[in-house]
Amino acid sequence: MSDIPDSSLAPVKTIDGVHYHQHDIVIVGAGGAGMRAAIEAGPNASTAVISKLYPTRSHTGAAQGGMAAALANVEDDNWEWHTFDTVKGGDYLVDQDAAEILAKEAIDAVIDLENMGLPFNRTPEGKIDQRRFGGHTAEHGKNPVRRACYAADRTGHMILQTLYQNCVKFGINFFNEFYVLDLIMGEVDGQKRPAGVVAYELATGELHVFQGKAVIFATGGFGKIYKTTSNAHTLTGDGVGIVWRKGLPLEDMEFFQFHPTGLAGLGILLSEAARGEGAILRNSEGERFMERYAPTIKDLAPRDIVARCIRTEIREGRGAGPNKDYVYLDITHLSPEVIDAKLPDITEFARTYLGVEPYTEPVPILPTAHYAMGGIPTNVKAEVLQDNDTPVPGLYAAGECACVSVHGSNRLGTNSLLDINVFGKRAGNNAVEYVKTADFVPIPDDPAAFVRGLVEQVRGATGTERIAVLRKELQDSMDENAQVFRTEETLNAVTEKIQELRERYLNISVQDKGKRFNTDLLEAIELGFLLDLAEVVVYSARSRTESRGGHFREDFPKRDDENWLVHTMAYLTGDAHSADAGDHIKLSTKPVVITNYQPMERKY
C-alpha cells in the first residue's frame, strides 16, 4: 500500500483547531445499516462514514441466527406469509405498508449479499440453506417454516465482513474512532434541514465538522440502559439521543425486546438458531414447558411470549439452579456433528462463560435485553420525521436506531439483519437522489461550539460521583423495574431513580483529563445519553396502559386495541434536568398503517 495519505480524508480547512470536511452524504455509524447505505451512496456521491468503532467491531457482528427471506429453497414459502408473520409477531403495531416492503425486498437483499460474496450455508443442491426461527410460519400461521438464511451461527459477523469488504472495494471514506456528538440543523425556505455533524476524534481529542447535503443515522440501539443485556458496551444510543436533543420525536420507545435465551447471569446471547435446529426449553422438572403455552410452535413462539413464559416458570417455582432463577436450553439430543456444523459459536460461549458442556448438559438461560423496537421515526423512504408524517428533507435513519415501523411491539428473529439491509439500502439510494438537486445548508460561524462546551465541561468535572456507579445504579433499576414485567409502581420507582441519577450526574468526576483515547470522558458522555433514553422508555411505558408485545403491564395485562392501537410519539419540550419527567416530555400518538391484516388474537 502507498504511504501517501488519502486526500479524501483530509479536512477542507482548519479554523481555530476545528477541522472541516465536506461530503455530499454523511453516514453516522458503520454497522450493517450504515455500510449497506454506503455501498449505494459511495459510488454515486461523495460519501463519508463516521464511526466511534472500527467498522468490523460494530454490533451487527454479534447477530447470530440468520436473515429472513421467503426464498422457498427448502420449503414452500412466499413474501405475503412473511408479511403476515411480521405483523402478527409485532402484535399488530407494525405499519403494514413497511412490512410488505420488508418482506418483498428481502429476497433481493439476500441475493445482493450472496453476490457480494457472503458464504451462506448451502443445501445439497447448492442453494442457500434455510432454518426455522420463532414466529415464522407457512399459510398464515398453520405450520412453522424454514425461512432464515444463515451462515452457521455467525450470520451477522459474515454480513458485517462482507459489507466492509465491498465498501473497501468501492473506496468508501471511513472516519474510524470519531464520536459524533451533535447534529447541525439549519433552515431553508422555512424547512428544517441537516447541515452536517460534529465529531470528537478519539485518538487526538480534536473536533471535526462534517458538512453534508444529506445525513444518515445508523447508530444502532441502546441496550446498555439495562444491566442484563446482549448489547455491547458501546450501544449507548448516541444517535437516538442526539436526534432527541435536537427536538425531533422518538417513536414507540416503550417497546424493548427481551431475548429469551441469554446466558444466565451474563446476558450473552444464545441464538434462536439453537431452537431453530431443535433445542428445547426445560424447567427444573425437565418439562418442555412451552408445550403448555404455545402448543402449535412450542419453543419457536415469538420472543416476547417465550421470555414471559420463562419468567412465569421461575416465578411459579419451577426455575433451576441453587436460587431457582433460570431455566435450561437443552441441545443434548442433537448430534455433536449438527451442533458443531450449525451452532459452533453459541456452544463455545456456554463452555467459556459458564463451564457447561452443551453436548451432555443443558445450558442455564434467562431473558436478556436485546433490541429496541422504537427509535427515530422514519417513513418507508428512511426519511426522518419531525411529526407524524412530515419528513426532514435530507435527514435519514436506518437500522435499530430507526423506527419505520416494521417491528411493531415485538421484532421477529432474523428480521433485524433484514431490516438493516432493506432500509439501509433505501436510505443510501434516497440520499443519492436527494443530493443530486440539493445544496449544502449553511453552517453557523462556530458549529462546534456546543460540542466544545460539552467536552470541556465533562473533562473538567471534579465532583464526587463516579460514572461507573451511576451507570450500574441505572442499569440495576431498569432490570428490576422495567424489564419483562412492568407495573405503575415499578415504573414510578425507576422514574424516581432516573431523576435522582440526573441530579447526581451534575456532580460527576472525570479523572482522566487527557485528550488521547480518553475512555473516562467517553463513558461520561455516553451516560448522559443513557439517562435521556431510559427516561423516555419509562415515561412512554407508564403512559401505555395495556400489554402488547415487549411491553407487558401486569396491572393492565390485556391488549387494548380500542385505545392503544397507535404508536407513541415522544417530544422533548423543556429542560431535561427538571424534577418531573412530565415537565419536559410530551407524548402524542400516531395511527398504525393497516392494509391487509386486521388485529386478531395471537395464538401459537
Side-chain angles (χ1 to χ4, degrees):
M1 294 181 62
S2 170
D3 293 328
I4 300 172
D6 185 347
S7 60
S8 63
L9 302 183
V12 175
K13 59 186 177 181
T14 299
I15 303 174
D16 295 331
V18 178
H19 306 291
Y20 290 78
H21 308 256
Q22 193 174 76
H23 295 270
D24 293 328
I25 299 172
V26 176
I27 300 173
V28 185
M35 289 201 286
R36 189 65 189 85
I39 287 172
E40 301 303 317
N44 300 295
S46 171
T47 301
V49 181
I50 309 169
S51 173
K52 72 175 182 179
L53 299 171
Y54 191 77
T56 52
R57 290 185 59 224
S58 300
H59 198 61
T60 299
Q64 297 167 352
M67 176 174 163
L71 300 183
N73 284 353
V74 180
E75 297 174 341
D76 189 27
D77 199 6
N78 69 59
W79 68 264
E80 291 180 282
W81 299 346
H82 185 184
T83 302
F84 171 76
D85 290 337
T86 298
V87 171
K88 182 181 177 183
D91 220 349
Y92 295 92
L93 204 72
V94 171
D95 285 333
Q96 295 181 22
D97 57 342
E100 290 167 10
I101 288 169
L102 184 79
K104 277 182 182 178
E105 296 184 7
I107 296 165
D108 284 343
V110 169
I111 301 305
D112 283 348
L113 289 170
E114 182 184 35
N115 291 337
M116 290 181 201
L118 197 148
F120 286 109
N121 277 49
R122 298 284 171 173
T123 67
E125 299 78 29
K127 295 181 179 179
I128 295 172
D129 201 2
Q130 296 180 274
R131 57 165 51 130
R132 289 179 180 169
F133 244 74
H136 290 289
T137 68
E139 300 181 65
H140 300 96
K142 289 187 179 179
N143 304 294
V145 70
R146 301 180 188 276
R147 184 178 292 147
C149 309
Y150 65 98
D153 59 353
R154 48 179 77 104
T155 313
H157 174 79
M158 295 298 188
I159 287 175
L160 195 66
Q161 298 290 332
T162 300
L163 292 177
Y164 184 58
Q165 290 163 8
N166 281 269
C167 284
V168 171
K169 180 176 76 174
F170 289 128
I172 305 296
N173 302 310
F174 282 95
F175 294 84
N176 300 326
E177 298 181 325
F178 281 62
Y179 185 18
V180 171
L181 291 174
D182 193 23
L183 168 64
I184 308 167
M185 295 295 290
E187 195 168 293
V188 178
D189 298 329
Q191 284 187 315
K192 289 182 181 177
R193 293 195 183 185
V197 300
V198 183
Y200 174 86
E201 185 177 0
L202 300 185
T204 64
E206 295 178 325
L207 299 183
H208 294 252
V209 172
F210 292 84
Q211 188 178 15
K213 296 178 181 178
V215 175
I216 301 173
F217 275 88
T219 52
F222 44 91
K224 293 306 288 187
I225 61 174
Y226 290 96
K227 174 187 175 183
T228 306
T229 178
S230 64
N231 285 197
H233 190 68
T234 54
L235 283 184
T236 50
D238 316 321
V240 182
I242 288 168
V243 167
W244 171 246
R245 291 176 181 179
K246 300 308 287 189
L248 294 170
L250 299 180
E251 180 176 352
D252 287 344
M253 291 290 283
E254 64 267 42
F255 296 109
F256 208 96
Q257 181 171 89
F258 302 94
H259 195 291
T261 55
L263 287 178
L266 297 171
I268 297 169
L269 193 66
L270 295 187
S271 170
E272 202 165 308
R275 285 174 285 141
E277 297 297 339
I280 295 170
L281 292 165
R282 300 190 187 277
N283 57 25
S284 60
E285 300 164 10
E287 177 195 11
R288 186 179 188 179
F289 58 86
M290 284 306 300
E291 291 182 334
R292 285 190 279 111
Y293 298 102
T296 302
I297 56 178
K298 304 180 179 68
D299 306 276
L300 287 174
R303 290 172 176 176
D304 63 319
I305 293 173
V306 180
R308 286 196 295 275
C309 294
I310 290 171
R311 285 290 187 185
T312 299
E313 290 294 301
I314 293 168
R315 282 182 165 195
E316 295 180 357
R318 293 184 293 275
N323 300 319
K324 296 189 177 298
D325 57 356
Y326 55 76
V327 297
Y328 291 118
L329 183 73
D330 183 8
I331 60 172
T332 58
H333 55 288
L334 301 179
S335 71
E337 292 76 22
V338 169
I339 293 171
D340 290 343
K342 296 188 174 181
L343 306 170
D345 276 6
I346 65 174
T347 51
E348 195 57 38
F349 292 159
R351 296 182 186 112
T352 301
Y353 296 109
L354 292 184
V356 171
E357 177 44 69
Y359 288 167
T360 57
E361 301 172 86
V363 181
I365 58 95
L366 196 64
T368 181
H370 183 56
Y371 189 90
M373 272 77 74
I376 304 166
T378 71
N379 58 23
V380 295
K381 295 181 179 179
E383 296 173 310
V384 172
L385 301 177
Q386 55 187 303
D387 52 34
N388 284 8
D389 49 25
T390 308
V392 180
L395 186 59
Y396 303 84
E400 191 176 351
C401 74
C403 181
V404 62
S405 152
V406 287
H407 307 308
S409 61
N410 172 62
R411 176 179 66 76
L412 286 190
T414 70
N415 269 359
S416 61
L417 292 178
L418 177 58
D419 177 12
I420 62 176
N421 279 281
V422 168
F423 289 99
K425 180 178 180 178
R426 281 182 159 245
N429 281 329
N430 288 318
V432 167
E433 289 304 308
Y434 174 80
V435 302
K436 285 179 180 178
T437 57
D439 295 321
F440 286 100
V441 175
I443 58 176
D445 290 339
D446 187 4
F450 169 77
V451 173
R452 184 188 301 109
L454 172 67
V455 169
E456 290 177 356
Q457 179 185 4
V458 174
R459 184 188 286 118
T462 57
T464 58
E465 297 285 356
R466 300 294 298 272
I467 297 301
V469 171
L470 299 187
R471 184 176 61 234
K472 182 178 186 302
E473 289 187 25
L474 170 68
Q475 293 169 339
D476 285 346
S477 185
M478 289 294 290
D479 262 24
E480 182 179 353
N481 297 303
Q483 214 209 39
V484 174
F485 293 113
R486 303 163 174 181
T487 65
E488 181 79 14
E489 182 181 0
T490 64
L491 293 170
N492 283 338
V494 71
T495 298
E496 291 175 7
K497 186 63 178 180
I498 292 169
Q499 292 306 315
E500 173 203 323
L501 293 173
R502 279 196 174 285
E503 294 174 8
R504 291 166 61 188
Y505 182 66
L506 299 176
N507 188 38
I508 58 173
S509 167
V510 173
Q511 294 180 316
D512 186 352
K513 305 300 181 183
K515 292 188 175 182
R516 294 182 179 275
F517 291 107
N518 188 340
T519 56
D520 200 16
L521 171 71
L522 180 67
E523 290 182 359
I525 294 173
E526 288 173 333
L527 177 60
F529 288 123
L530 290 175
L531 287 168
D532 283 356
L533 299 179
E535 185 175 52
V536 185
V537 168
V538 173
Y539 192 64
S540 300
R542 283 170 57 192
S543 172
R544 185 175 283 269
T545 52
E546 66 154 359
S547 292
R548 186 186 297 268
H551 169 71
F552 192 87
R553 288 283 298 265
E554 291 188 280
D555 43 355
F556 297 95
K558 301 294 185 181
R559 193 180 83 194
D560 180 2
D561 289 340
E562 183 177 346
N563 295 301
W564 286 108
L565 187 62
V566 288
H567 299 294
T568 302
M569 302 292 284
Y571 294 82
L572 179 64
T573 60
D575 180 8
H577 298 289
S578 63
D580 177 41
D583 288 344
H584 62 269
I585 298 176
K586 182 185 77 172
L587 297 182
S588 64
T589 60
K590 183 172 80 169
V592 175
V593 178
I594 296 174
T595 56
N596 296 318
Y597 303 109
Q598 293 300 317
M600 55 187 285
E601 184 181 356
R602 286 202 303 169
K603 290 185 178 180
Y604 290 98

